[in-house]
Structures are given as C-alpha cells and as structure tokens.
C-alpha cells in the first residue's frame, strides 16, 4: 500500500485541522522531493508488490495532470504495480472539469475518485469556506460518471451548526439520485485551534448541537437501509462490493508506505511520520537527510490500536486476534458486560461489534477497553 500526501489547499476550510498550506509556490519543488522519496524508500515495505495506492490531501486535484503523471510514473518505475486493485485520488469539485477528468481518465492509473462535497447546501458551503457550490459538485459527479469512472465516493458532513434535520435529509435525497458507489459521512468535529473553534467561541457560529447530530446520524441509518448501502465502518458506507480497499487495510494493520510532508508509514512493527512542514520536508529530502519521527509499537500499543480501529468497523473485534492480546483483553472483556447489557455492544459469531447506537459512543467505549497501565 502506498499513500501520497499532497498538503496544498487553495483556501482553508474552517473546520479542518489536517496539515495543509495555501501557498502553492513550492508545488513543483515539493513534487520533485516526493518523487525522490518514492525512489529512495523502495525497501521500506516487506514486498514491492503494491495492492492499493491513495493520493490524499490537502487537495490532490490542485495538481496538473502532468504533475500527477509524474507521480504515477515514478511509482510505476520503482514498485510492482501490476496487481494494484484500487488507485484512489481525493479531489475537490471545483477542479473536476470535463477536461481535467478526461485527462485523468487518459492517464489511466486512477480508478476511484473521492470527492470532497461536504454538503449540497450553498449557504453551509460558504460558511465552511469551501470554494465550490452545490451545482459544481453535482456537475463534477456527473462528468466523472459520463467518462466511465464507476467507483466514486463523496464526503459529506452532518451536524453542521444551524443545519436542520430537514436540510440534512435533503442532502441524502440528493445523494439517492446520484448513483455513487461510496459515501463517507462525518459528524462535524470542532477541532481545537481551527477557525470554526474560534468562531464558535466568539458566538459568531452557534455551538454544535449533539442532540441534532444524533438525529442526523439516525436519519442516515434509515437512509442507508432504504437505499441499498451498507455501513462497513463508523463513517463509511457503500454499495455491496465497493468498500474502500485501501482504507480498510489501514484498519487491518496492513503495512503501508506514506510519502510526502506529514505522511505516516507503518512497517508492521513501527510507525514513522514525516515532518509536517513543506519547506523543511523538501530540504531534508534534497540533503539526503529526511526529517521524520518514529516509534516502535509495543504489544500494548498494538492492542490499543486494534481496539480503536477494529471497534470502528462493522466486523468489530475478532476473538482470534483478541487471543493474541489475552494479557490485556482478559481485563477489558469484563468491562464489556455493561455495554452488552445496554445494547451498545453486540456479541457476534467470532467476537464483538458495536451496535448502530454503539457507534455513536465508539471513542468512549474504545477508551474504556484500552490498556493504560505501564
Ligand atoms: C483530509 S480531508 C481532505 C479532503 C478534500 N481535500 C476536501 O477537503 O474536500 C478528508 C475529509 O475529512 C472530513 N473532515 C475533515 N475535517 C473534519 C471535521 N473537523 N469534522 C468532520 N469531518 C471532517 C471532510 O469530509 C474531508 O473531505
């Protein structure tokens, strides 16, 4: 698995806490460094045979097709991509013109597009500081479909301050007519230090209303049942057979190589992450002195990560895996009783999973099951 990070955005969304910069003058130098990193780290993964590739951001569609082509061909020359099962690019609607999509199709590597729609409500798009309109998002999806892209995902956010249940429902009604294969629906999180956080503190935007967010989540659950989607992870929904392969493998703890500023990598036992600064990243790569931090994961870390990620999936926790962590799990298992009793956790044939209502409290339940002793 290869993840490529493109940390550029034309402007910052008010809710976003991910690393990105809006000065794109370093774009070409960044790409050169990124390709150099791809060439230098061919031995990072136990196997050069790559099964999935994901270009994420930031805003990867800020890149020209020539720049994307350079990344794709660098991967092709340095790794075995003959068996790649999924190649995703994240894209923002305003860049997905017919010309851009046509050139992307011609380039021939990408077979899945994840479009950052966020909402089909123009007032909310403005409030969130997005550059596109609802009409642009609809046009982008239709253009991609016309050109034969048949694995399209859209990102939506619910629980936006001031968004009524009817407005959220209208978003879902629009999606029902789009014939997309995959949906990522996130409850809006107010991340510390974001513009959203500041605006809420200054009372320029109302607080997130948790009760309203729960109503949106419940409406989403009803919608997916009526529209032939399945929930395979807390925020991810798809038509049968269209689970995101790349993301699902993160949750299975498959090793992956992450390239670019702020990108994380995992080799099966340790995790490392590149510096989250474009200029320092470029300098490090060019001086053959890449700047990154690393940590070796202890058994306890692996256990906690497994609990956190597996609990967020529809499959849930697997007894065979839990058996490997018996020393931590035997204590945690006792705590499950109360969650089973109140219907948050369900027993499955091979382990435990969260119920639909349990997903709403996934972080708190996972934290309860973590091992925090030394
Ligand atoms: C890393 S972002 C980048 C995607 C893309 N460049 C875009 O903004 O359209 C991936 C997705 O995470 C979601 N996201 C980011 N911050 C969030 C927040 N604070 N609350 C809820 N969802 C968030 C958005 O739906 C976004 O599309």
């Amino acid at each position: 698995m290869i993840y490529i990070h493109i940390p550029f955005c034309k402007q910052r969304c008010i809710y976003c806490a991910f690393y990105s910069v809006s000065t794109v003058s370093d774009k070409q130098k960044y790409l050169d460094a990124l390709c150099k990193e791809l060439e230098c780290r061919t031995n990072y993964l136990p196997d050069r045979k790559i099964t999935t590739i994901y270009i994420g951001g930031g805003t990867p569609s800020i890149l020209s097709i020539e720049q994307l082509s350079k990344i794709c061909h660098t991967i092709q020359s340095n790794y075995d991509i003959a068996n790649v099962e999924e190649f995703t690019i994240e894209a923002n609607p305003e860049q997905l013109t017919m010309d851009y999509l046509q050139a992307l199709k011609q380039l021939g590597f990408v077979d899945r597009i994840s479009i950052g729609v966020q909402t089909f409500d123009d007032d909310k798009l403005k409030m969130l500081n997005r550059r596109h309109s609802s009409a642009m998002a609809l046009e982008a999806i239709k253009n991609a479909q016309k050109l034969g892209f048949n694995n399209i995902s859209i990102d939506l956010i619910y629980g936006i301050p001031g968004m009524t249940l009817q407005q959220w429902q209208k978003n879902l009604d629009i999606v029902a007519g789009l014939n997309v294969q995959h949906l990522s629906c996130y409850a809006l999180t107010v991340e510390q230090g974001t513009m959203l956080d500041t605006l809420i503190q200054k009372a320029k935007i109302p607080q997130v209303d948790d009760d309203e967010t729960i109503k949106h989540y419940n409406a989403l659950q009803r919608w997916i049942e009526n529209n032939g989607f399945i929930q395979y992870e807390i925020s991810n929904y798809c038509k049968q057979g269209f689970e995101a392969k790349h993301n699902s493998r993160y949750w299975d703890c498959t090793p992956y190589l992450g390239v670019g500023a702020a990108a994380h990598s995992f080799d099966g036992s340790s995790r490392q992450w590149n510096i989250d600064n474009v200029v320092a990243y470029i300098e490090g790569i060019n001086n053959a002195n890449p700047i990154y931090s690393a940590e070796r994961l202890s058994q306890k870390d692996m256990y906690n990560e497994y609990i956190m990620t597996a609990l967020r999936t529809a499959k849930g926790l697997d007894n065979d895996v839990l058996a490997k962590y018996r020393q931590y799990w035997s204590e945690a298992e006792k705590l499950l009783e109360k969650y089973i009793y109140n219907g948050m956790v369900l027993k499955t044939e091979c382990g435990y999973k969260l119920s639909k209502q349990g997903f709403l409290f996934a972080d708190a339940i996972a934290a309860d099951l973590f091992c925090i002793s030394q």
Side-chain angles (χ1 to χ4, degrees):
M1 279 166 78
I2 297 182
Y3 174 77
I4 308 276
H5 193 61
I6 307 298
F8 301 109
C9 287
K10 287 244 162 97
Q11 63 191 40
R12 205 165 175 82
C13 306
I14 63 167
Y15 53 83
C16 184
F18 287 92
Y19 174 67
S20 76
V21 289
S22 44
T23 41
V24 289
S25 52
D26 292 322
K27 215 165 64 171
Q28 192 53 48
K29 281 192 206 140
Y30 179 78
L31 281 180
D32 294 340
L34 193 137
C35 290
K36 212 181 249 184
E37 191 187 1
L38 275 167
E39 287 161 2
C40 292
R41 292 183 68 194
T42 49
N43 291 326
Y44 180 80
L45 293 172
D47 190 343
R48 277 192 205 190
K49 282 202 181 85
I50 304 301
T51 53
T52 59
I53 300 170
Y54 193 105
I55 307 186
T59 313
S61 52
I62 232 174
L63 300 180
S64 66
I65 297 297
E66 291 70 34
Q67 290 170 326
L68 278 176
S69 165
K70 182 169 178 201
I71 296 176
C72 295
H73 284 105
T74 305
I75 300 175
Q76 191 176 41
S77 334
N78 291 279
Y79 299 84
D80 177 355
I81 62 166
N83 298 307
V84 164
E85 297 160 34
E86 183 186 273
F87 191 137
T88 306
I89 183 170
E90 272 178 18
N92 285 19
E94 65 270 24
Q95 280 123 14
L96 292 185
T97 60
M98 203 51 153
D99 285 351
Y100 191 88
L101 283 159
Q102 212 148 22
L104 188 65
K105 189 83 189 162
Q106 253 163 19
L107 178 62
F109 289 87
V110 171
D111 61 7
R112 183 171 182 273
I113 308 181
S114 170
I115 308 178
V117 173
Q118 318 309 350
T119 171
F120 289 102
D121 180 324
D122 283 332
D123 290 340
K124 295 282 176 290
L125 284 169
K126 273 198 199 107
M127 180 183 111
L128 299 175
N129 201 32
R130 298 292 300 190
R131 288 167 61 84
H132 67 273
S133 63
S134 169
M136 284 158 100
L138 292 170
E139 184 76 8
I141 296 163
K142 288 204 183 106
N143 286 345
Q145 288 171 332
K146 261 190 219 149
L147 288 166
F149 285 101
N150 56 10
N151 193 354
I152 296 177
S153 178
I154 61 177
D155 285 357
L156 289 180
I157 301 181
Y158 59 93
I160 298 172
M163 180 188 254
T164 63
L165 179 58
Q166 285 75 9
Q167 285 169 338
W168 171 236
Q169 190 64 54
K170 199 170 161 208
N171 275 276
L172 294 174
D173 292 344
I174 293 174
V175 180
L178 290 179
N179 194 27
V180 292
Q181 289 72 23
H182 189 281
L183 262 180
S184 296
C185 291
Y186 303 101
L188 182 71
T189 313
V190 183
E191 304 283 357
Q192 237 188 355
T194 56
M195 184 54 83
L196 176 64
D197 186 22
T198 309
L199 291 170
I200 290 177
Q201 278 177 33
K202 289 187 174 163
K204 299 247 163 87
I205 287 182
Q207 300 268 3
V208 167
D209 179 340
D210 290 339
D211 292 338
E212 196 62 26
T213 301
I214 291 175
K215 283 187 203 157
H216 293 191
Y217 175 80
N218 290 335
L220 174 60
Q221 295 305 321
R222 286 191 296 275
W223 183 89
I224 61 158
E225 272 164 33
N226 295 332
N227 286 275
F229 275 73
I230 46 173
Q231 180 176 27
Y232 68 102
E233 199 258 357
I234 196 161
S235 310
N236 287 287
Y237 306 81
C238 68
K239 290 270 173 68
Q240 190 78 43
F242 285 95
E243 290 86 354
K245 295 190 174 83
H246 184 91
N247 293 346
S248 302
R249 287 174 194 166
Y250 287 139
W251 309 325
D252 280 353
C253 300
T254 306
Y256 60 92
L257 168 68
V259 174
H264 285 227
S265 303
F266 175 61
D267 67 3
S269 56
S270 61
R271 203 170 281 297
Q272 68 181 62
W273 52 99
N274 287 341
I275 186 161
D276 56 355
N277 178 307
V278 165
V279 176
Y281 167 78
I282 297 171
E283 262 178 35
I285 296 285
N286 288 343
N287 297 330
N289 189 17
I291 309 171
Y292 64 88
S293 309
E295 72 175 348
R296 204 168 178 76
L297 298 184
S298 64
Q299 271 291 98
K300 191 181 76 181
D301 296 332
M302 303 269 269
Y303 162 78
N304 286 342
E305 284 209 6
Y306 176 69
I307 294 291
M308 191 171 71
T309 51
L311 213 48
R312 294 171 66 91
T313 66
K315 228 164 47 184
L317 302 172
D318 187 303
N319 284 331
D320 289 344
V321 181
L322 292 170
K324 288 197 281 183
Y325 300 114
R326 187 159 308 146
Q327 47 184 329
Y328 313 115
W329 177 243
S330 50
E331 275 308 300
E333 194 170 16
K334 295 177 198 154
L335 302 170
L336 273 187
E337 279 304 311
K338 62 176 186 269
Y339 295 117
I340 293 173
Y341 181 74
N342 64 19
M344 296 291 164
V345 171
L346 306 171
K347 244 185 152 134
T348 65
E349 262 179 33
C350 51
Y352 301 94
K353 67 175 188 180
L354 292 180
S355 65
K356 294 214 179 280
Q357 286 312 300
F359 273 135
L360 287 167
F361 304 96
D363 289 346
I365 298 173
D368 212 11
L369 303 178
F370 283 169
C371 172
I372 45 173
S373 63
Q374 288 303 308

